[in-house]
């Protein structure tokens, strides 16, 4: 069976025909679908790079996986300029496909959903983030994608969510409103892929001299992930006599602005911007070397990097948005603008290693719920329902 999988990614093609990604979408990501389907057509934005420009990137292509190229549009103006190309491409992409899985919200995913719905074939969506938060800085996008997502989850046969409760309440699928049946079903599972050997151990903090803070967000193209908040937290901790530093993993057009802001705050020597790290093992090592994960984000679904930090026993502070309260207790959650909340809590933890040790143990235990074999079991159950629906409809057509 041939399934179309639509992802909102920036992938890159080299002259030898290979496909690459800076993060996340390596070949192993598609293997989760290959557990149930024989062939996959990945529909994504794809640009072009020379072979020497993808050093350190992740290889995406492989056996039983094909790619359908959409224009490498970035920003609203680029999408508007290419709207006719997207519409025509979406119509071509959905031909000779048995079913589809569309990751939303996404501009390109919106075009694919519109085109695939016309085929009257079964399809499912994977809801990975809340558009009300993800597009909070663009009122038009926020309204449109919120409206579209609420509409789509009611039209789709299957809907999966990265959260256990939060996104389901805001964007209820047909099956959540009317109950499951053979044509309508829902599930929850994270996009994360945590193998057993990724897990580290519960930390034992005894005496902290220098607090090593870490923040991970591949995208530095906006203020959503709270980079400026993290910098202000480090400044205030320094003023209050806490010896600390912070490492930022990620890159983007705002990086220079954040580096300048660190200089403005007088903490340049306490900040390390290391850029994007594509290798998950290297990210894991950076997390292991840290004492505290700080993540004051204003828009998430269920952040994979937070679960990864928990899986290596790292104490974590984050924001109470979307699925994050499903991971951490409320006393360790503060909104992005609550600088004092973060600072006060970090100061208490700095002098209370027993609390840090408990946080580590609790986080490590919670992360066990997201081990790959557990999540893949849920994914397979979801994908099999979609496959069964296709097979059942094909049988009915054959009978007629």
């Amino acid at each position: 069976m041939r399934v179309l999988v639509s992802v909102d990614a920036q992938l890159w093609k080299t002259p030898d025909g290979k496909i690459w990604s800076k993060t996340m979408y390596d070949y192993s990501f598609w293997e989760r679908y290959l557990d149930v389907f024989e062939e996959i057509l990945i529909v994504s934005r794809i640009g072009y790079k020379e072979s020497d420009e993808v050093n350190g990137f992740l290889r995406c292509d492989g056996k039983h996986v094909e790619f359908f190229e959409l224009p490498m549009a970035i920003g609203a103006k680029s999408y508007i300029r290419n709207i006719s190309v997207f519409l025509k491409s979406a119509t071509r992409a959905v031909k000779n496909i048995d079913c589809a899985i569309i990751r939303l919200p996404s501009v390109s995913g919106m075009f694919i959903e519109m085109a695939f719905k016309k085929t009257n074939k079964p399809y499912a969506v994977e809801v990975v983030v809340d558009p009300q938060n993800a597009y909070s800085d663009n009122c038009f996008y926020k309204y449109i994608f919120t409206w579209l997502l609420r509409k789509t989850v009611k039209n789709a046969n299957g809907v999966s969510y990265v959260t256990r409760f939060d996104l389901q309440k805001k964007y209820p699928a047909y099956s959540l409103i009317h109950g499951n049946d053979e044509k309508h079903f829902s599930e929850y599972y994270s996009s994360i892929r945590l193998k057993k050997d990724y897990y580290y151990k519960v930390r034992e903090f005894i005496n902290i001299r220098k607090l090593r803070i870490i923040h991970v967000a591949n995208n530095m193209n906006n203020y959503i992930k709270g980079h400026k908040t993290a910098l202000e937290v480090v400044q205030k901790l320094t003023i209050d006599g806490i010896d600390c530093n912070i490492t930022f993993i990620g890159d983007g057009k705002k990086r220079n602005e954040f580096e300048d802001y660190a200089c403005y705050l007088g903490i340049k020597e306490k900040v390390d911007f290391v850029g994007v790290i594509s290798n998950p093992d290297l990210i894991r090592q950076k997390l292991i070397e840290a004492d505290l994960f700080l993540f004051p984000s204003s828009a998430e679904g269920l952040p994979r990097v937070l679960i990864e930090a928990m899986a290596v026993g790292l104490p974590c502070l984050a924001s109470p948005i979307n699925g994050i309260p499903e991971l951490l207790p409320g006393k360790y959650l503060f909104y992005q603008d609550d600088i004092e909340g973060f600072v006060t809590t970090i100061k208490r933890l700095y002098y209370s290693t027993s609390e840090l040790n408990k946080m580590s143990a609790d986080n490590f235990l919670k992360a066990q719920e997201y081990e790959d074999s557990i999540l893949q079991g849920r994914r397979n159950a979801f994908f099999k329902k979609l496959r069964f629906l296709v097979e059942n409809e094909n049988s009915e057509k054959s009978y007629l």
Side-chain angles (χ1 to χ4, degrees):
M1 187 173 292
R2 184 174 169 84
V3 61
L4 178 154
V5 178
S6 173
V7 297
D8 187 27
Q10 294 182 27
L11 306 181
W12 303 96
K13 188 175 185 178
T14 45
D16 56 8
K18 296 174 182 176
I19 307 293
W20 304 86
S21 173
K22 277 189 177 182
T23 59
M24 184 174 167
Y25 294 110
D26 62 354
Y27 179 72
S28 68
F29 188 90
W30 318 127
E31 287 182 312
R32 66 187 61 185
Y33 302 102
L34 288 172
D35 271 5
V36 174
F37 302 100
E38 285 76 25
E39 296 180 8
I40 308 175
L41 178 69
I42 306 301
V43 180
S44 176
R45 291 173 293 163
I46 298 180
Y48 295 88
K49 286 185 180 291
E50 296 299 322
S51 298
D52 60 358
E53 295 181 287
V54 296
N55 290 331
F57 282 29
L58 304 174
R59 178 87 176 270
C60 306
D61 57 288
K63 194 174 182 180
H64 303 302
V65 176
E66 296 180 29
F67 290 83
F68 187 96
E69 300 177 24
L70 296 177
M72 182 53 81
I74 300 176
K77 292 181 179 179
S78 182
Y79 278 107
I80 292 172
R81 285 196 302 268
N82 288 281
I83 188 167
S84 63
V85 180
F86 272 100
L87 288 169
K88 292 176 183 177
S89 297
T91 301
R92 293 198 311 272
V94 302
K95 292 181 178 179
N96 302 315
I97 295 295
D98 296 305
C99 58
I101 299 172
I102 306 168
R103 293 172 64 83
L104 296 174
S106 158
V107 178
S108 57
M110 172 187 68
F111 291 114
I112 295 298
E113 195 269 343
M114 288 169 57
F116 199 84
K117 190 165 57 175
K118 294 178 183 178
T119 69
N120 293 317
K121 294 180 180 180
Y123 72 100
V125 299
E126 295 181 325
V127 183
V128 299
V129 72
D130 185 351
Q132 288 190 340
N133 297 122
Y135 300 112
S136 59
D137 58 346
N138 186 316
C139 293
F140 177 74
Y141 269 27
K142 177 181 176 180
Y143 173 80
I144 289 295
F145 284 107
T146 297
W147 176 75
L148 283 173
L149 187 56
R150 285 176 175 156
K151 180 181 178 181
T152 301
V153 295
K154 291 180 175 65
N155 291 332
N157 299 102
V159 182
S160 75
Y161 303 84
V162 293
T163 61
R164 189 172 184 178
F165 304 110
D166 183 77
L167 292 171
Q168 287 88 326
K169 293 177 181 177
K170 297 177 180 177
Y171 308 96
Y174 179 97
S175 63
L176 294 177
I177 298 172
H178 303 285
N180 285 350
D181 56 45
E182 288 186 355
K183 292 190 176 183
H184 300 94
F185 46 91
S186 61
E187 186 55 90
Y188 72 94
Y189 51 77
S190 168
S191 298
I192 198 169
R193 190 160 196 177
L194 275 183
K195 296 293 188 179
K196 290 182 180 179
D197 59 3
Y198 185 94
Y199 291 83
Y200 185 49
K201 64 180 182 180
V202 174
R203 307 294 182 90
E204 293 184 20
F205 296 94
I206 299 175
N207 183 27
I208 299 177
R209 294 184 178 180
K210 174 172 283 190
L211 184 67
R212 299 166 298 179
I213 304 171
I214 190 167
H215 178 290
V216 183
N218 290 310
N219 186 337
M220 284 190 183
N221 295 324
N222 49 50
Y223 304 106
I224 288 175
K225 302 299 182 180
H227 292 85
K228 296 185 77 170
T229 294
L231 289 170
E232 291 177 25
V233 167
V234 170
Q235 182 206 37
K236 288 187 175 294
L237 288 172
T238 301
I239 292 173
D240 290 347
I242 303 296
D243 190 4
C244 63
N245 58 31
I246 187 167
T247 297
F248 288 102
I249 296 177
D251 209 343
K253 62 185 181 182
K254 292 289 184 182
R255 175 173 171 173
N256 289 339
E257 179 182 333
F258 297 147
E259 290 177 334
D260 291 342
Y261 194 55
C263 293
Y264 170 78
L265 294 175
I267 56 171
K268 179 181 178 181
E269 71 285 355
K270 293 183 172 292
V271 181
D272 185 16
F273 289 89
V274 301
V276 171
I277 299 178
S278 297
N279 188 324
D281 292 331
L282 296 180
I283 295 178
R284 176 180 181 270
Q285 187 57 41
K286 288 288 187 182
L287 292 171
I288 289 174
E289 292 169 359
D291 300 311
L292 180 71
F293 184 76
L294 181 60
F295 198 62
S297 177
S298 63
E300 295 296 329
L302 192 75
R304 296 182 307 278
V305 68
L306 177 55
I307 302 173
E308 290 168 355
M310 296 167 70
V312 298
L314 201 54
C316 303
L317 298 181
S319 300
I321 48 102
N322 300 123
I324 293 180
E326 297 177 13
L327 299 173
L328 298 175
K331 63 181 178 179
Y332 299 128
L333 302 177
F334 306 91
Y335 286 103
Q336 191 175 94
D337 59 355
D338 189 3
I339 308 297
E340 285 303 320
F342 283 111
V343 171
T344 300
T345 301
I346 293 174
K347 286 168 64 177
R348 185 181 76 246
L349 296 173
Y350 183 81
Y351 295 109
S352 177
T353 54
S354 61
E355 186 174 359
L356 281 173
N357 291 338
K358 187 177 186 308
M359 290 174 72
S360 175
D362 290 346
N363 288 353
F364 188 74
L365 180 62
K366 184 67 176 178
Q368 307 300 316
E369 298 176 15
Y370 297 87
E371 193 272 323
D372 188 58
S373 64
I374 297 173
L375 295 186
Q376 192 59 32
R378 291 203 199 106
R379 295 186 192 111
N380 284 351
F382 183 74
F383 300 155
K384 286 177 181 177
K385 289 178 182 178
L386 181 60
R387 182 181 180 118
F388 175 80
L389 183 55
V390 175
E391 293 172 339
N392 192 41
E393 291 193 356
N394 288 342
S395 296
E396 291 178 358
K397 289 177 184 178
S398 298
Y399 178 76
L400 295 173

